[in-house]
């Protein structure tokens, strides 16, 4: 908590464009057994098939032990976007990982959409709604290895192949981080089914080392390319590497990194990172020389999600100290406010940043993910219950949901 105090200094926002949201409401989620879903920390959207995928686990219960039957322990969930139009205060979601294990701790979520059923091609699956789908997440839950040993400190990647309905699993694969040097993975983004980008928020592998990393705000977070050859670090000087997203600009992939403690978004030109060639080139493309490498924010960004308008939506914590108190003590007086940003990158390297919404923590505490679908802005929280749903608008109307608004 003290380390977050050191990172809580405010800095000015980048210029903002008028874009906002209002008419917000809360939406409770329950699994098939009627248990309340808590801790939707990240989301992924299949805009073509109208599916919303959620990574959730209840961080206030001990998931390394058997949770009470009345508590939802955690997993990957599916929800039809059309259900959001039905109104009401509650929805039932489909548990995707239920058959695999009951105590998943998903961290980050990414949906890969391949082409022609082979898992390759444009990660957005442009032009065909029948492409292969793979849902990726990082699982920090304890698990038993092939020898039956309980592994408590080695996260792994879980990949779920989805059927055409998007709610049934065709296959599940796991990949260990052992030997990669990535001890605290946070987010995964697929460039191809066998080429993944991983954010590693803290460098140290031991609990004491991670405590020191946080206490002294060491900028040693990393982003690495993980493929058949192993892990190649692209940057290892990041101030808590968190959310990741990939944008194609002028025919070249660019990586957007959320540095939570640095309160900024960093943009890297990935060059030929998609190709199984030498180490990826990180030199800026000549045509995009004006593209900023760093975008300063007034809040601490978490996850980054692409909306159906092609823009990226970033959930950011307004005050890290308030979030630390809320996370550690669930203090009612420190429910953290959040800011949702919209980031649009044009093909010629221009950046448009707008503040969509500032949401009062008493209404929805500590939003860690947000995404646009249709007229909806959808938000999740690593420590909150269910989702928050807001109506989007582009005029200079109300851009703050206050305590007195009806959630």
């Amino acid at each position: 908590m003290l380390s977050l105090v050191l990172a809580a200094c405010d800095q000015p926002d980048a210029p903002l464009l008028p874009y906002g949201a209002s008419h917000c409401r809360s939406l409770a989620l329950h699994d098939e057994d009627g248990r309340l879903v808590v801790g939707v920390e990240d989301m992924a959207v299949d805009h073509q098939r109208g599916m919303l995928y959620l990574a959730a686990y209840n961080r206030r219960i001990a998931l390394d032990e058997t949770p009470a039957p009345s508590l939802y322990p955690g997993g990957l969930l599916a929800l039809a976007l059309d259900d959001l139009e039905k109104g009401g205060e509650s929805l039932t979601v489909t548990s995707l990982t239920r058959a695999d294990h009951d105590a998943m701790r998903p961290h980050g979520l990414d949906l890969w959409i391949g082409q022609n059923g082979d898992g390759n091609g444009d990660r957005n699956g442009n032009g065909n709604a029948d492409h292969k789908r793979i849902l990726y997440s990082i699982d920090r839950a304890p698990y038993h290895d092939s020898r039956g040993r309980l592994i408590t400190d080695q996260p792994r990647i879980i990949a779920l192949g989805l059927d055409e309905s998007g709610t049934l699993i065709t296959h599940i694969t796991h990949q260990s981080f052992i030997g990669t040097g990535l001890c605290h993975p946070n987010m995964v983004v697929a460039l191809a089914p066998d080429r993944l980008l991983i954010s590693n928020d803290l460098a140290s592998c031991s609990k004491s080392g991670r405590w020191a990393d946080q206490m002294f705000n060491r900028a040693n977070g990393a982003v690495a390319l993980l493929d058949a050859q192993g892990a190649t670090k692209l940057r290892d000087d990041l101030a808590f590497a968190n959310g990741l997203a990939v944008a194609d600009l002028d025919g070249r992939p660019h990586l957007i990194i959320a540095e939570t403690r640095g309160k900024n978004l960093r943009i890297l030109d990935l060059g030929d990172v998609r190709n199984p060639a030498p180490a990826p080139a990180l030199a800026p493309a000549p045509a995009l020389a004006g593209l900023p490498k760093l975008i300063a924010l007034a809040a601490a960004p978490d996850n980054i999600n692409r909306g159906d308008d092609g823009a990226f939506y970033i959930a950011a914590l307004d005050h890290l100290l308030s979030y630390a108190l809320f996370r550690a003590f669930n203090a009612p007086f420190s429910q953290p406010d959040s800011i949702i940003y919209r980031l649009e990158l044009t093909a010629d390297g221009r950046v448009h940043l707008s503040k969509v919404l500032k949401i009062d923590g008493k209404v929805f505490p500590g939003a860690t993910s947000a995404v646009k679908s249709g007229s909806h802005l959808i938000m999740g929280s690593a420590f909150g219950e269910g989702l928050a749903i807001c109506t989007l608008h582009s005029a200079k109307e109300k851009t703050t949901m206050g305590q007195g608004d009806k959630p």
Side-chain angles (χ1 to χ4, degrees):
M1 185 181 71
L2 290 176
S3 66
L4 292 182
V5 176
L6 301 176
C9 299
D10 289 331
Q11 57 190 37
D13 255 328
L16 303 178
L17 299 176
Y19 199 92
S22 60
H23 309 297
C24 299
R25 62 186 177 92
S26 60
L27 180 65
L29 302 177
H30 296 86
D31 73 345
E32 297 93 336
D33 294 328
R35 297 176 295 184
L36 180 66
V37 175
V38 178
V40 178
E41 65 96 26
D42 198 11
M43 301 180 285
V45 185
D46 190 335
H47 297 289
Q48 294 175 342
R49 292 183 177 174
M51 295 299 299
L52 174 66
Y53 298 100
L54 310 172
Y57 76 90
N58 192 332
R59 299 174 184 230
R60 299 199 191 282
I61 62 175
L63 295 184
D64 55 346
E65 299 176 0
T66 303
S70 60
L71 296 176
Y72 176 74
L76 301 182
L77 307 166
L79 172 66
L81 288 169
D82 285 346
D83 289 344
L84 300 179
E85 304 290 347
K86 297 177 181 178
E89 298 179 352
S90 176
L91 285 176
T92 299
V93 293
T94 300
S95 299
L96 298 176
T97 52
R98 189 175 182 182
D100 181 41
H101 49 129
D102 291 330
M104 186 179 179
R105 292 182 179 180
H107 231 80
L109 194 61
D110 186 51
L111 177 66
W112 164 261
I113 303 177
Q115 290 184 336
N116 304 320
D118 61 3
N120 295 310
D122 185 348
R123 60 170 279 107
N124 298 313
N126 294 323
N128 189 335
D130 295 324
H131 296 322
K132 180 178 180 180
R133 263 76 168 165
I134 304 175
L135 196 63
Y136 292 92
S137 185
I138 292 169
D139 186 9
R140 290 185 178 177
Y143 59 92
H144 290 88
D145 65 9
S146 57
R147 300 180 182 179
R149 297 173 300 183
L150 182 63
I151 308 299
T152 61
D153 58 353
Q154 289 291 341
R156 57 182 179 169
I157 297 171
I158 181 170
L160 308 181
L162 301 177
D163 72 345
E164 292 185 1
S165 73
T167 59
L168 294 177
I169 300 172
T170 60
H171 66 276
I172 298 177
T173 59
H174 300 93
Q175 180 176 349
S176 171
F177 283 98
I178 295 175
T180 65
L182 305 175
C183 300
H184 216 241
N186 193 313
M187 180 62 188
V188 54
V189 170
L191 294 171
D194 56 352
R195 294 175 69 75
L196 308 177
L197 292 170
I198 307 292
S199 66
N200 195 65
D201 49 37
L202 300 170
S204 299
C205 295
S206 66
K207 290 183 178 179
S208 60
R210 288 198 291 268
W211 178 88
D213 285 348
Q214 295 184 76
M215 186 63 196
F216 298 106
N217 274 327
R218 294 171 177 165
N220 56 12
V223 171
L225 173 67
L226 189 62
D227 58 15
Q229 283 68 50
T232 302
K233 288 187 178 180
L234 309 183
R235 291 290 293 259
D236 59 2
D237 58 348
L238 305 173
F240 201 92
N242 202 327
L244 301 175
V246 175
D248 285 310
L249 303 176
D250 196 31
R252 295 170 66 93
H254 287 70
L255 177 64
I256 308 169
I257 308 168
E259 290 187 74
T260 301
R261 295 176 183 273
K263 292 188 177 181
N264 62 61
L265 302 173
R266 189 178 296 272
I267 302 178
L268 301 180
D269 182 349
L270 292 176
D272 296 325
V273 72
R274 282 201 178 102
N275 302 319
L282 293 179
L288 301 177
L291 183 71
K293 298 179 181 179
L294 207 65
I295 302 174
L297 303 175
D302 200 306
N303 287 304
I304 308 171
N305 295 286
R306 187 191 291 269
D308 59 359
D309 57 355
F312 297 96
Y313 289 79
I314 302 108
L317 300 164
D318 198 18
H319 295 289
L320 286 174
L321 174 57
S322 177
Y323 186 71
L325 292 171
F326 177 69
R327 185 180 68 180
F329 306 112
N330 197 16
F333 57 84
S334 64
Q335 293 176 310
D337 300 341
S338 311
I339 296 176
I340 309 301
Y341 292 99
R342 178 183 186 268
L343 176 68
E344 185 177 7
L345 303 177
T346 61
D348 59 358
R350 296 184 180 183
V351 172
H352 301 286
L353 180 69
S354 58
K355 184 185 296 182
V356 180
L357 174 73
K358 180 174 180 179
I359 184 166
D360 192 311
K362 296 182 179 64
V363 175
F364 192 69
T368 54
S369 60
V371 71
K372 174 190 177 295
S373 177
S375 61
H376 297 300
L377 178 70
I378 310 165
M379 290 171 285
S381 168
F383 288 91
E385 298 179 357
L387 300 171
I389 314 292
C390 301
T391 301
L392 281 168
H393 58 76
S394 57
K396 281 188 176 180
E397 299 174 12
K398 181 179 180 183
T399 57
T400 300
M401 185 170 72
Q403 181 178 356
D405 291 342
K406 183 178 180 180

